[in-house]
Amino acid sequence: MSRFLRSDFCHLDVYTPGEQPRDKSYIKLNTNESPFPPSPGVQKAAAEQAQSLQLYSDPECTALRQTAAKQYGLKAENIFCGNGSDEVLNFAFMAFCDASKGIAFPNISYGFYPVFGNLYGLDCTQIPLHEDFSIAPEDYLNLNKNIVLANPNAPTGMLLRVAQIRSILDANRGNVVIIDEAYIDFGGESCVPLIEEYDNLLVVQTFSKSRSLAGARLGFGFAQKAIIDDLNRVKYSTNPYNINRLTLAAGEAALNEQSYYDANCRIIMENRQWTTDALQALGFEVLPSAANFIFARTNQIDGEALYRALKEKGILVRHFSKEQISDFIRITIGTAQQMQALVDAIREILN
Ligand SMILES: *Cc1c(COP(=O)(O)O)cnc(C)c1O
């Protein structure tokens, strides 16, 4: 750190992304990317746009928002585009949270929430998960704080029903409730239809998981117009051209090839069930997942040891050292072949 860094940034806890190793090629099951490449139209659209990169991108993301509006049954004014959903979350923290209005989230959830909270000096209330690792909606009523929930939650994969989220929205009409739906396409029910009814709801989605575009960086915010206007206020105060031309074209093409991604999600869900069954047969406890990953543990080997042993065999999974979940590993669901290799490797390690 230089001697010029502002003093309140000297002790920031930054977000630790999952490993993206370059030393050798791993079976990569650690950062919840899709094992499938983007659809053909995406590659074509991005290649075409590459010829116009001397020009700025459209700051209003008009074509992409109009295409999304059709697909989601919304108006374009209800849609915000972010450079990854992380940026949508960042802008939401900036727009809606300050010293007088802190934020609440589960103590086990997406690691970026406390990082943003810390960056903006917020009062963060971290609400413990229950013993079965579920989120209890009753814990989120009348908090007088903004709330952010990943649904399904990460890294547990566990899902709240829309009726449960509705109860949280009803009891927090004076606060923004952010529902982070990064994994909603793997079997969950989206809260997007609720935005008509709730002016305090912001739903966030990403192209990084179900739509095979983690490297393109694209996410959506869905809300009533007033909230979208607030996000734009922040965006136009920081980075108006936040989505580049290649990504705008790629995102629109992906929306136009939705059936390809739907089919991929069905494969991932089948492979999730197969992997869950196989690990349970090996004596693992696997939390019920509605995401493209599973969270599993066994009393035969500790989570970190299993992570290391798998890495030695060329398979990367994610381990979190936080005490309550340190005996688990999080495994991204890949192709059937990758999952077979994972289960074979775990069987060898346990023997
Ligand atoms: C992956 C993930 C994100 C971030 O996605 P990007 O769009 O790649 O920034 C946000 N929230 C959760 C819960 C995630 O798992």
Side-chain angles (χ1 to χ4, degrees):
M1 136 185 14
S2 81
R3 61 201 163 86
F4 308 108
L5 184 64
R6 46 187 275 187
S7 58
D8 56 337
F9 276 14
C10 289
H11 302 287
L12 282 184
D13 289 323
V14 302
Y15 180 72
T16 317
E19 302 164 84
Q20 303 288 354
R22 280 168 201 95
D23 57 332
K24 62 175 191 182
S25 80
Y26 289 91
I27 295 181
K28 197 169 172 308
L29 307 177
N30 68 328
T31 49
N32 299 342
E33 292 137 327
S34 173
F36 306 112
S39 50
V42 165
Q43 307 188 30
K44 190 162 162 280
E48 272 168 29
Q49 270 307 313
Q51 296 169 24
S52 307
L53 281 176
Q54 75 277 22
L55 302 173
Y56 279 110
S57 57
D58 172 14
E60 295 181 39
C61 309
T62 307
L64 176 60
R65 282 166 54 243
Q66 281 171 350
T67 303
K70 251 183 251 150
Q71 188 169 112
Y72 284 84
L74 301 169
K75 293 188 184 140
E77 67 185 27
N78 299 121
I79 303 174
F80 180 84
C81 301
N83 190 312
S85 59
D86 286 339
E87 187 181 63
V88 185
L89 293 166
N90 181 24
F91 286 179
F93 271 70
M94 261 199 256
F96 305 115
C97 304
D98 64 13
S100 71
K101 180 74 98 179
I103 189 149
F105 46 83
N107 69 331
I108 308 284
S109 192
Y110 185 39
F112 231 129
Y113 307 149
V115 171
F116 287 136
N118 194 237
L119 176 62
Y120 297 118
L122 304 178
D123 177 15
C124 294
T125 304
Q126 304 206 33
I127 299 177
L129 296 185
H130 284 225
E131 209 168 332
D132 62 355
F133 299 95
S134 66
I135 291 169
E138 309 83 77
D139 295 345
Y140 293 83
L141 308 184
N142 307 309
L143 292 177
N144 197 28
K145 292 187 162 222
N146 294 325
I147 294 170
V148 58
L149 293 172
N151 193 48
N153 195 18
T156 63
M158 290 171 68
L159 184 74
L160 285 174
R161 284 172 290 110
V162 169
Q164 294 176 300
I165 290 171
R166 192 184 270 282
S167 71
I168 295 171
L169 288 162
D170 281 326
N172 291 282
R173 295 309 295 237
N175 309 291
V176 178
V177 177
I178 304 168
I179 303 297
D180 179 352
E181 295 189 336
Y183 302 103
I184 201 66
D185 296 333
F186 301 100
E189 188 186 349
S190 173
C191 286
V192 168
L194 298 189
I195 67 170
E196 232 178 288
E197 242 174 289
Y198 292 96
D199 68 354
N200 58 330
L201 171 62
L202 170 61
V203 179
V204 178
Q205 291 190 3
T206 177
F207 281 66
S208 296
K209 278 65 187 241
S210 60
R211 291 200 181 100
S212 302
L213 283 177
R217 313 305 303 130
L218 185 60
F220 281 143
F222 302 103
Q224 289 191 9
K225 180 175 183 299
I227 281 196
I228 300 299
D229 288 349
D230 296 341
L231 294 175
N232 276 316
R233 191 180 282 258
V234 173
K235 158 172 155 159
Y236 282 90
S237 304
T238 50
N239 187 10
Y241 306 105
N242 63 334
I243 318 289
N244 71 69
R245 295 185 82 94
L246 304 182
T247 296
L248 284 176
E252 198 186 341
L255 290 176
N256 287 326
E257 291 179 319
Q258 188 57 41
S259 57
Y260 168 84
Y261 299 99
D262 290 343
N264 287 349
C265 288
R266 283 194 296 273
I267 294 170
I268 295 293
M269 289 160 67
E270 281 170 24
N271 296 351
R272 178 177 74 205
Q273 188 60 53
W274 181 88
T275 310
T276 301
D277 293 345
L279 290 183
Q280 282 173 342
L282 290 173
F284 277 79
E285 176 191 358
V286 183
L287 299 188
S289 171
N292 67 340
F293 58 83
I294 51 177
F295 207 43
R297 66 176 165 186
T298 170
N299 52 22
Q300 304 161 80
I301 183 169
D302 127 282
E304 184 167 8
L306 180 54
Y307 154 79
R308 285 189 194 287
L310 283 169
K311 187 168 180 183
E312 216 141 89
K313 288 181 175 293
I315 300 177
L316 269 189
V317 298
R318 188 96 195 251
H319 174 258
F320 300 92
S321 51
K322 202 169 192 173
E323 196 187 332
Q324 202 184 345
I325 53 171
S326 63
D327 44 353
F328 283 86
I329 56 170
R330 191 193 68 188
I331 305 162
T332 303
I333 303 299
T335 62
Q337 198 185 8
Q338 290 176 317
M339 301 329 283
Q340 183 71 59
L342 169 90
V343 170
D344 290 347
I346 289 180
R347 193 178 293 115
E348 279 173 32
I349 291 164
L350 294 182
N351 285 333

